[in-house]
Amino acid sequence: MGVRGFGATPAEAFAQTALAMCAAIVDPAGVRLEQAIDIEQQAQSLDLLLLDWLNALVYEMAARRMIFAAFDVSIVGERLRARAFGEKISRDRHAPAVEVKGATFTELAVCEDRPGLWRAQCVIDV
Amino acid sequence: MDSSRFQKLSDNAWQIKPFGAMRVPAIIYASESLLAEMDDKVFEQVTNVAMLPGIVQASYAMPDAHWGYGFPIGGVAAFDPAAGGVVSAGGVGFDVSCGVRTHLTSLTREEVVSVQEELADALYAHVPVGVGSEGAITLDEPDMIAMLNGGAKWAVEQGFGLAEDLDRIEEHGCVEGADPAAVSDHAKGRQRREMGTLGSGNHYLEVQTVERIFDHATAAAFGLERDKCVVTIHCGSRGLGHQIGTEFLREMAVSAAEHGIVLPDRELACAPINSELGRRYLGAMRAAINCALANREIIGHLTRQVFARFFINGELPLMFDVSHNTCKLETHEVDDQARKLFVHRKGATRAFGPGAPGLPAAFARHGQPVLIGGSMGAGSYVLAGTTESEARAFSSACHGAGRRMSRHEATRAWGGRQVVDDLRARGIIIRSPSMRGVAEEAPGAYKDVEAVVDCAEAAGLAKKVAFLAPLICIKG
């Protein structure tokens, strides 16, 4: 399943890609923003940073039994600092459709399609 | 795919001669119509695999092949460590040792149908399914290490399963060479409360009836009787395997150049078998195989508990347990020489034929059971490994129907409730936490499983033994 986010900056595009990934699991409109989790990542390139960002979210959701639906992301150079907001996942209330196993290198790209329009994308394994 | 791009070897085998950086040919086992239905990415991926160092004989794709990550799903490739061969995290995939087991019952279709709804409810309540579900077992560090070393054998020692099950599991329920120290704390952390959970997506627990038998002698050897019910469980190594796949894929992709490996696709991330990284991955991947074997053994135990509540004769002896996403050290004949090779099967099943070393005595005459999961509505097949399969693709066969439609396309075509109601009208009861998940797994989203197994049989990969029709499907 492919996920793609757009934004005026890489950080905005990263936040939108994360939202797309979580939307593959549940309807984000039904997620309460009750808990915040801080995430920090650093990588040698923006595309690897996107991979690490999405996989960090996959790990936090799995280990904490959480689902996220909002993201505050900042990227300086190749360092990402972010806060993900969400709540404990409920089988009855959220009716999660799939489990994301991991973000992949397939179709992995972070690029500025035109000035001020960044695209961040990859295929996730579900 | 356009068949003119291939050299036709037979009605069910198509070869791509080496070009560019390919070291060996690529061979796709498919009928002309299955080949036409395959996406072009299979061509690209099966030829990319043929470029990897140390590959032996050919890069193969099974009849259910479709676009995967790096390797096609349904891809088989063997590597020789003595020839600089590699082990590829991309060639195993994220769900390490995802596989299928089938339990036999002495119950007739009528006996199960008489309590069909109640049995479905009880299985759905007792077996943890879906995203975020937790098992009743919490593993501390010593338990985790014992489980990663012991596999299904560990589960039996803990009281989850029967000692006689172990002879009906590949590697007798425990693969050697697991290295829990190579498994990260993150991977162990994800698994602490996931033992005995089914997962989601295409994972399922089905109660099925043996509707047709094609090979009576082999079916009898496997314990399959017409109109009797069986239980089939499809799941893998859960969060632990996913995390191992994620971490090693990245590490192998980034370090490939240091090992002098040119990757045609980063998803083919690999390392020399005889390298520190290669050995560390093998240790972690084998630990994940043991995790999957333990997980399926525990789910089998939970299923037995439910059946014991409903039926006096509710024993569920294990017929066999097979894994789909693995890299295993095996001995194969290549140019009349026995060679020890690391065989990657991604979305493919080992299909050892009659007389193969290591097979349980019950299967020595007929070959090992090859369990082919279909969709919720189409049913499943039991095949058996053949002698010819060794020369075809290192004793490998297909693993399922294979998707023909993306999840997004499926949700546009069907609603989950509609799928559940349609199947109920056909006598199949579905339980799932997610109607969208059901729509994504709709029978129409998959290829025709009958065409896939017919092709596997015609190509000599495996022979048909029995057809299993679903009665109850618990979807994750």
Side-chain angles (χ1 to χ4, degrees):
Chain A
M1 182 180 289
V3 291
R4 181 177 290 156
F6 294 95
T9 63
E12 284 184 21
F14 274 42
Q16 290 300 307
T17 310
L19 184 61
M21 181 173 77
C22 291
I25 306 167
V26 302
D27 179 357
V31 178
R32 297 171 187 151
L33 308 182
E34 294 176 345
Q35 274 183 267
I37 304 299
D38 291 327
I39 291 171
E40 287 192 25
Q41 294 289 330
Q42 187 162 12
Q44 304 94 314
S45 62
L46 272 178
D47 61 346
L48 285 177
L49 191 60
L50 175 66
L51 190 82
D52 291 347
W53 157 237
L54 296 177
N55 279 325
L57 290 169
V58 169
Y59 170 74
E60 295 293 346
M61 287 191 287
R64 297 173 188 274
R65 303 288 190 269
M66 283 185 71
I67 182 70
F68 299 127
F71 308 91
D72 183 5
V73 182
S74 75
I75 298 174
V76 178
E78 281 148 1
R79 175 180 283 275
L80 172 147
R81 283 199 171 89
R83 182 162 282 189
F85 301 88
E87 63 171 321
K88 287 280 182 191
I89 198 159
S90 159
R91 191 173 87 170
D92 295 332
R93 195 157 55 77
H94 296 120
V98 293
E99 183 173 33
V100 177
K101 295 170 188 165
T104 78
F105 283 100
T106 304
E107 301 294 321
L108 176 66
V110 179
C111 46
E112 192 172 21
D113 287 336
R114 55 184 165 80
L117 181 64
W118 284 83
R119 172 169 50 92
Q121 66 174 43
C122 75
V123 169
I124 54 173
D125 190 11
V126 297
Chain B
M1 284 193 286
D2 180 359
S3 61
S4 66
R5 301 169 76 184
F6 298 86
Q7 178 193 359
K8 186 174 181 177
L9 300 178
S10 73
D11 287 346
N12 292 285
W14 308 80
Q15 178 174 256
I16 306 159
K17 288 184 177 171
F19 64 88
M22 286 172 70
R23 299 165 192 259
V24 292
I27 293 175
I28 297 178
Y29 290 104
S31 62
E32 194 146 10
S33 59
L34 284 173
L35 190 73
E37 212 180 31
M38 279 181 195
D39 49 70
D40 287 332
K41 275 284 182 184
V42 174
F43 183 99
E44 185 184 321
Q45 292 187 328
V46 76
T47 53
N48 281 345
V49 172
M51 299 175 192
L52 294 178
I55 187 167
V56 174
Q57 204 159 272
S59 161
Y60 298 100
M62 299 291 108
D64 55 338
H66 55 284
W67 181 24
Y69 310 106
F71 272 55
I73 312 292
V76 176
F79 297 85
D80 185 348
V86 294
V87 58
S88 169
V92 172
F94 283 89
D95 198 355
V96 179
S97 194
C98 181
V100 178
R101 61 162 44 198
T102 295
H103 288 266
L104 304 167
T105 82
S106 57
L107 302 167
T108 63
R109 185 181 188 282
E110 287 67 33
E111 285 177 283
V112 168
V113 167
S114 69
V115 292
Q116 195 174 4
E117 293 277 357
E118 298 89 337
L119 182 60
D121 287 338
L123 288 167
Y124 184 58
H126 197 58
V127 178
V129 301
V131 181
S133 61
E134 293 182 351
I137 306 159
T138 301
L139 298 180
D140 59 17
E141 182 69 8
D143 287 339
M144 179 70 71
I145 290 169
M147 182 274 288
L148 296 175
N149 277 320
K153 192 163 166 274
W154 169 86
V156 169
E157 286 165 1
Q158 303 302 307
F160 306 110
L162 305 172
E164 53 264 38
D165 294 343
L166 299 177
D167 200 34
R168 298 301 186 105
I169 302 174
E170 286 182 334
E171 328 302 334
H172 301 279
C174 175
V175 68
E176 289 179 9
D179 181 7
V183 178
S184 72
D185 289 342
H186 270 40
K188 291 172 183 166
R190 280 179 74 167
Q191 195 60 31
R192 263 172 51 79
R193 288 178 295 172
E194 288 202 348
M195 294 310 297
T197 62
L198 195 66
S200 65
N202 63 354
H203 294 164
Y204 61 79
L205 185 158
E206 276 195 357
V207 182
Q208 304 156 323
T209 183
V210 181
E211 197 169 274
R212 269 180 286 163
I213 288 184
F214 304 99
D215 179 332
H216 290 274
T218 306
F222 289 180
L224 294 166
E225 287 181 58
R226 193 166 182 273
D227 291 332
K228 290 287 170 65
C229 289
V230 299
V231 180
T232 297
I233 295 161
H234 175 215
C235 66
S237 51
R238 310 293 298 113
L240 182 128
H242 305 169
Q243 192 68 27
I244 288 171
T246 297
E247 292 169 0
F248 279 94
L249 226 134
R250 188 192 192 287
E251 189 176 353
M252 285 178 169
V254 170
S255 66
E258 292 169 24
H259 292 112
I261 298 170
V262 179
L263 292 177
D265 172 353
R266 278 191 293 185
E267 209 74 49
L268 285 172
C270 59
I273 294 160
N274 289 328
S275 68
E276 186 278 331
L277 177 54
R279 282 188 289 271
R280 187 155 43 85
Y281 174 69
L282 282 168
M285 187 264 304
R286 288 165 175 160
I289 292 176
N290 283 337
C291 178
L293 299 180
N295 194 46
R296 286 196 291 274
E297 183 69 10
I298 295 169
I299 294 175
H301 173 74
L302 297 175
T303 306
R304 282 172 167 147
Q305 288 180 326
V306 173
F307 271 70
R309 296 204 317 245
F310 280 81
F311 307 103
I312 297 167
N313 53 340
E315 300 88 7
L316 301 177
L318 181 59
M319 181 178 83
F320 205 49
D321 181 305
V322 299
S323 295
H324 297 148
N325 296 347
T326 58
C327 172
K328 289 183 177 173
L329 178 59
E330 297 170 2
T331 302
H332 290 280
E333 290 280 328
V334 180
D335 298 329
D336 296 326
Q337 282 194 321
R339 289 170 68 178
K340 290 200 165 188
L341 304 173
F342 285 78
V343 183
H344 294 63
R345 295 186 182 88
K346 183 176 185 181
T349 315
R350 190 158 78 178
F352 281 162
L359 275 187
F363 308 139
R365 276 189 62 203
H366 299 277
Q368 76 163 81
V370 177
L371 309 174
I372 308 297
S375 66
M376 290 180 285
S380 304
Y381 283 82
V382 178
L383 313 183
T386 62
T387 306
E388 310 92 277
S389 185
E390 171 62 11
R392 298 288 187 276
F394 302 111
S395 291
S396 308
C398 49
H399 85 310
R403 290 194 80 90
R404 70 173 186 86
M405 195 182 274
S406 73
R407 291 180 177 276
H408 193 59
E409 285 172 317
T411 53
R412 280 186 298 197
W414 299 282
R417 176 51 56 191
Q418 173 200 346
V419 172
V420 169
D421 291 345
D422 288 351
L423 291 171
R424 180 188 296 275
R426 291 171 47 198
I428 304 164
I429 304 298
I430 308 295
R431 293 287 184 271
S432 173
S434 168
M435 284 302 105
R436 195 180 94 200
V438 170
E440 291 178 2
E441 291 291 318
Y446 283 85
K447 290 181 196 169
D448 176 4
V449 66
E450 188 175 1
V452 168
V453 298
D454 282 347
C455 173
E457 183 169 65
L461 300 171
K463 63 177 178 178
K464 285 197 293 186
V465 177
F467 171 73
L468 313 175
L471 291 172
I472 295 170
C473 179
I474 311 296
K475 287 296 277 189

